[in-house]
Amino acid sequence: MKVKCLNTSKYNRYVRLPLTVDKVYDVIEVTRIPFSPSRYDDYSGPIYNLVNDNGEVSGYSDECVRVLTLSEERELKLNEILE
């Protein structure tokens, strides 16, 4: 699975996220944070673990990255073949 970085500006006010906007990353693992009634307003969606620009494995939510569509993945594979 591949994801594309959408947004880092929300987080760059405090810490520079080691991701590049519009860059495609390979997902190592998808994890989920379980819902808890004591943390009802916390994020509980998927976390995509990938190797960031610093070479570290880190997890990012769907606020930062999105899964590529089938046509985008096909286009990437076609470009790899043509190179």
Side-chain angles (χ1 to χ4, degrees):
M1 173 187 299
K2 293 183 183 281
V3 293
K4 186 180 219 178
C5 179
L6 295 175
N7 182 13
T8 61
S9 62
K10 176 180 178 182
Y11 304 97
N12 278 342
R13 293 183 303 175
Y14 308 109
V15 178
R16 169 131 166 66
L17 276 185
L19 295 176
T20 304
V21 175
D22 289 334
K23 184 175 177 182
V24 176
Y25 296 91
D26 288 317
V27 175
I28 298 169
E29 178 184 30
V30 179
T31 58
R32 288 198 166 274
I33 299 172
F35 175 77
S36 171
S38 62
R39 298 180 287 113
Y40 63 89
D41 59 345
D42 282 354
Y43 180 78
S44 62
I47 300 294
Y48 301 97
N49 293 322
L50 51 95
V51 177
N52 62 27
D53 293 344
N54 292 341
E56 303 165 337
V57 175
S58 191
Y60 300 95
S61 70
D62 56 4
E63 294 176 333
C64 295
V65 297
R66 71 167 175 83
V67 177
L68 291 182
T69 63
L70 185 58
S71 63
E72 289 173 324
E73 286 207 40
R74 286 180 180 158
E75 185 177 334
L76 277 176
K77 286 182 183 180
L78 180 62
N79 289 339
E80 288 174 6
I81 291 171
L82 294 177
E83 290 179 351

